[in-house]
Amino acid sequence: MDPAKIRNFSIIAHIDHGKSTLADRILELTGAVAKRDMMEQLLDNLQVERERGITVKARSVALTWKGHTFNLIDTPGHVDFSYEVSRSLAACEGALLVVDATQGVEAQTLSNAYLAINNDLAIIPVINKIDLPGAEVERVKEQIEAVVGIPAADALEVSAKSGLGVEALLDAVIERIPAPKGGPGEPARALIFDSWYDPYRGVAMLVRVMNGALRKGMKAKFFSAHEVEEVERLGIFTPREEEVEVLGAGEVGFVNAGLKEIGLAKVGDTITDADAPAAEALPGFEEMKPMVFAGFYPTDTEEYEKLRTSLEKLHLNDASFHYVPESSTALGFGFRCGFLGLLHMEIIQERLENEFDASLITTAPSVEYRVYLTPDRHELISNPSLIPDEQKLHKIEEPFMDVTLFTPAEFVGDILKLCQTRRGEQKKMEFLPNQKVLLVYRLPLAEIIMDFYDRLKTLSRGYASMDYSLAGFEGSQLIKLNILVNDQPVDAFSTIVHRDRAYTKGRKILEKLRKNIPRQMFEVILQAAVGSRIIARDRIAPMRKNVLAKCYGGDITRKRKLLEKQKEGKKRMKQLGRVEIPQEAFLGVLKIDDD
């Protein structure tokens, strides 16, 4: 195929600004899908994508328009998947930056635009939903120029729902987005920007050929995995699978090369010809590292093997989450799982429950701490229960994030207060046109992952938006808080907190446990401890049998004997008895409000 007739582009937008709807209209107009087969979110295959109205997995589709071939690469929109988005954008020469005409520029609009700019893409601003009564097209153009910093005078005005202006948008793709530059005579290099597991054919990879060509039967070398495999199958999505013999320079398609482990086909890796290899890999490859960690335990201990099998199958289709077996004295055997972010964790949990019928107890999400035992030796620990007590530590460092917030000016006061209570440090505050404010804060990741986003939406009545990126590790006044039930530490409730908040956090956990643990025949003592020091205490009163019910008369010493006997029995019971902590107690601790 003549590279001059190819256009590779992606659609980037904030959540709910109409990215998937615009992709549907493009598929419809280019004739890729017949009207009778058309449905909403056509490129979203997963049940969770359709239920939530978001894109989780990247997809590509080859389209034909006025003698040109368009490769549309649909990317995830959430900040958790920003690395995958950056690799998908690296496979393109241009991007459609979609902005809602009623909402204007949001946090992820800015973040995704910067990703596109960093990849030297031609950006076409597209203002969507112009047919809604609240649309303010000129105001949004001003915002794009003021905030994103790209010209918006010639921004395209469309309604993805009705199809208005979409034909002009497709013509603009031909005119404004450059053709691929790769030469067909150079050594083969192809970028992997997504992969999944096919139970019949092994690992399948979505690739963009940058130089040279991939041919059926050639020996493919993977730079990062150091593997050499034969290319068994090549093809493109139209959106149906269509096999081809060759993928040339500038083309986008899928490759099956006999890989059996999805971990070998890493997003961002480079494929080359093993017989005539390229000198170096394509730039930008990084190992995807989990940011948020949580324990997954089966509600019934007999379902441990079922959970293991479910995680193995899910991992085949999503190599970006990690899991290792662990055990807890309170919850039994389970798995410590690592995720790209909190949304990624929720998606994995939903898929386990919906697709594999798993019943789970999930521990409170935590982050990975850099724990220094001596000034020059540290370990990375994600499970708070494994972190040594304060006396054995030199210091603890935690991950900090640069958080970008967009909000209407009327909510700034409440949002500043929220960031302050979450140990935030203000870096920037800028007043934008049309009563919008841009805030940049440095916040600990541990303060963001619990309920920061929910609080932000509540305080701003849903109008504020946020985006974040890793800024690095910094030392903090952190200590390990242990929870004891009848003098026995419950590792599932261990948490890392800032020294100033240890008492408040411990007090709230104890209150939740007192409400959720049922009364026993003996007294249950609840304690919050830092090292060997008890900082908070609560109790669950025992159920009491009236042993004096049949004692109608006689000397008072007889009643005292019965009461003393009962007291001794309860002491003995307390020594031998084991407190069963119900699932509601673990869920209750998850919902604790820190503010």
Side-chain angles (χ1 to χ4, degrees):
M1 187 183 295
D2 181 6
K5 294 287 186 180
I6 297 174
R7 298 292 184 272
N8 298 319
F9 67 97
S10 183
I11 305 174
I12 54 178
H14 188 79
I15 291 172
D16 205 31
H17 279 208
K19 180 166 68 74
S20 293
T21 308
L22 181 59
D24 290 345
R25 290 296 79 72
I26 292 173
L27 290 172
E28 201 174 283
L29 273 172
T30 54
V33 182
K35 279 207 170 186
R36 65 175 181 274
D37 298 326
M38 197 63 204
M39 60 181 178
E40 291 186 2
Q41 290 178 259
L42 187 75
L43 294 180
D44 294 337
N45 292 338
L46 298 176
Q47 180 184 342
V48 69
E49 290 180 312
R50 296 191 163 279
E51 287 176 354
R52 287 174 170 256
I54 59 175
T55 302
V56 173
K57 295 289 284 179
R59 286 290 307 275
S60 77
V61 59
L63 311 167
T64 305
W65 181 257
K66 296 185 178 179
H68 289 71
T69 296
F70 290 173
N71 288 310
L72 166 59
I73 298 172
D74 190 25
T75 61
H78 196 273
V79 61
D80 285 4
F81 308 104
S82 59
Y83 173 66
E84 294 176 55
V85 174
S86 76
R87 293 301 84 210
S88 298
L89 293 179
C92 304
E93 278 74 39
L96 305 179
L97 179 65
V98 178
V99 183
D100 188 327
T102 62
Q103 300 289 329
V105 173
E106 302 276 6
Q108 281 162 240
T109 313
L110 189 64
S111 172
N112 289 331
Y114 285 164
L115 283 176
I117 291 166
N118 291 339
N119 280 287
D120 292 326
L121 301 192
I123 300 175
I124 302 177
V126 179
I127 300 174
N128 189 25
K129 305 185 186 181
I130 60 168
D131 53 343
L132 292 182
E136 298 178 86
V137 176
E138 293 306 316
R139 176 181 70 86
V140 173
K141 285 183 180 179
E142 286 177 25
Q143 271 194 0
I144 292 172
E145 291 189 351
V147 181
V148 183
I150 59 174
D154 57 352
L156 299 169
E157 301 171 19
V158 305
S159 168
K161 194 81 171 175
S162 65
L164 177 67
V166 179
E167 284 192 29
L169 183 150
L170 293 173
D171 292 337
V173 168
I174 296 174
E175 294 165 12
R176 298 199 212 173
I177 294 178
K181 294 178 182 175
E186 300 172 19
R189 288 199 300 177
L191 172 72
I192 300 173
F193 61 89
D194 196 23
S195 60
W196 65 93
Y197 189 81
D198 185 315
Y200 301 104
R201 300 183 183 275
V203 177
M205 294 155 280
L206 266 182
V207 301
R208 153 72 195 276
V209 182
M210 296 294 188
N211 314 100
L214 297 182
R215 291 179 172 80
K216 202 170 176 180
M218 72 179 272
K219 295 289 185 185
K221 176 186 174 184
F222 297 80
F223 270 91
S224 162
H226 306 293
E227 292 281 324
V228 176
E229 298 286 348
E230 183 179 329
V231 174
E232 299 171 352
R233 204 164 156 260
L234 294 169
I236 59 173
F237 290 105
T238 63
R240 295 175 299 279
E241 286 188 10
E242 285 189 14
E243 287 196 43
V244 297
E245 292 297 316
V246 179
L247 282 177
E251 293 188 75
V252 175
F254 65 85
V255 179
N256 289 103
L259 291 176
K260 301 303 179 191
E261 294 179 32
I262 195 169
L264 298 175
K266 296 173 181 175
V267 172
D269 198 5
T270 303
I271 302 176
T272 189
D273 186 346
D275 297 325
E280 58 183 9
L282 294 163
F285 173 72
E286 293 177 15
E287 290 277 359
M288 281 196 286
K289 295 179 181 176
M291 300 286 289
V292 174
F293 298 83
F296 281 178
Y297 292 85
T299 51
D300 185 347
T301 53
E302 293 179 2
E303 294 190 351
Y304 174 77
E305 285 302 324
K306 179 186 172 184
L307 179 57
R308 179 196 291 275
T309 307
S310 302
L311 287 169
E312 285 173 357
K313 289 179 180 177
L314 195 54
H315 185 64
L316 290 174
N317 282 307
D318 188 350
S320 57
F321 96 93
H322 304 270
Y323 67 96
V324 292
E326 72 168 5
S327 62
S328 161
T329 53
L331 299 173
F333 292 102
F335 296 90
R336 192 79 186 166
C337 303
F339 312 92
L340 299 175
L342 205 59
L343 176 72
H344 190 213
M345 172 183 152
E346 290 174 13
I347 287 167
I348 295 296
Q349 190 173 346
E350 275 187 39
R351 291 188 68 185
L352 283 169
E353 291 170 350
N354 295 339
E355 298 174 27
F356 300 98
D357 196 29
S359 180
L360 300 172
I361 296 175
T362 306
T363 63
S366 65
V367 301
E368 194 167 54
Y369 294 96
R370 195 178 279 172
V371 179
Y372 284 81
L373 302 174
T374 63
D376 56 353
R377 186 170 70 88
H378 73 267
E379 297 177 17
L380 291 172
I381 300 178
S382 61
N383 188 342
S385 66
L386 299 180
I387 294 177
D389 288 329
E390 192 178 8
Q391 298 85 346
K392 301 175 184 176
L393 290 177
H394 176 66
K395 67 174 178 177
I396 300 179
E397 291 182 348
E398 62 178 331
F400 274 72
M401 314 300 284
D402 285 332
V403 181
T404 304
L405 303 163
F406 272 86
T407 176
E410 61 186 292
F411 307 118
V412 167
D414 289 336
I415 291 173
L416 291 176
K417 185 180 175 185
L418 172 66
C419 293
Q420 204 68 33
T421 59
R422 298 302 178 94
R423 298 191 281 134
E425 179 189 347
Q426 189 180 118
K427 295 291 185 185
K428 181 181 179 183
M429 182 163 73
E430 184 179 338
F431 285 85
L432 305 171
N434 306 303
Q435 296 295 304
K436 276 223 167 184
V437 180
L438 167 66
L439 296 168
V440 178
Y441 264 86
R442 176 162 288 196
L443 282 156
L445 178 58
E447 300 286 353
I448 298 173
I449 61 172
M450 286 301 285
D451 64 343
F452 183 84
Y453 184 72
D454 294 339
R455 294 296 309 280
L456 180 70
K457 286 293 184 184
T458 302
L459 293 172
S460 66
R461 298 209 296 271
Y463 286 108
S465 60
M466 68 175 279
D467 190 87
Y468 53 85
S469 59
L470 183 65
F473 282 78
E474 294 180 18
S476 299
Q477 292 291 312
L478 300 175
I479 53 175
K480 178 182 173 182
L481 179 68
N482 290 315
I483 302 298
L484 289 74
V485 177
N486 274 357
D487 297 325
Q488 296 298 315
V490 181
D491 53 1
F493 293 136
S494 294
T495 183
I496 300 298
V497 295
H498 194 269
R499 185 180 296 278
D500 295 342
R501 294 199 193 161
Y503 172 75
T504 307
K505 181 83 172 180
R507 184 79 260 157
K508 288 183 176 180
I509 292 175
L510 297 188
E511 285 173 10
K512 283 284 183 184
L513 293 179
R514 181 166 53 80
K515 291 175 184 175
N516 288 292
I517 295 177
R519 291 174 70 185
Q520 312 288 320
M521 291 301 294
F522 50 87
E523 182 184 42
V524 178
I525 302 297
L526 306 173
Q527 294 169 314
V530 174
S532 58
R533 184 164 53 93
I534 305 298
I535 61 170
R537 183 184 185 279
D538 212 327
R539 68 185 286 272
I540 300 172
M543 291 188 286
R544 184 170 180 269
K545 181 182 176 183
N546 188 2
V547 292
L548 303 180
K550 295 180 181 178
C551 198
Y552 298 112
D555 189 44
I556 188 69
T557 55
R558 186 178 169 210
K559 292 182 180 180
R560 282 180 182 158
K561 275 183 186 177
L562 288 171
L563 290 172
E564 287 296 324
K565 188 177 178 183
Q566 183 186 45
K567 189 176 176 182
E568 289 299 319
K570 284 190 181 290
K571 266 189 191 176
R572 193 162 56 249
M573 202 183 287
K574 184 177 177 180
Q575 290 169 358
L576 301 173
R578 184 171 179 269
V579 182
E580 293 290 338
I581 302 174
Q583 186 177 353
E584 290 74 25
F586 294 96
L587 297 176
V589 170
L590 280 180
K591 295 172 184 171
I592 285 176
D593 183 0
D594 280 340
D595 299 337

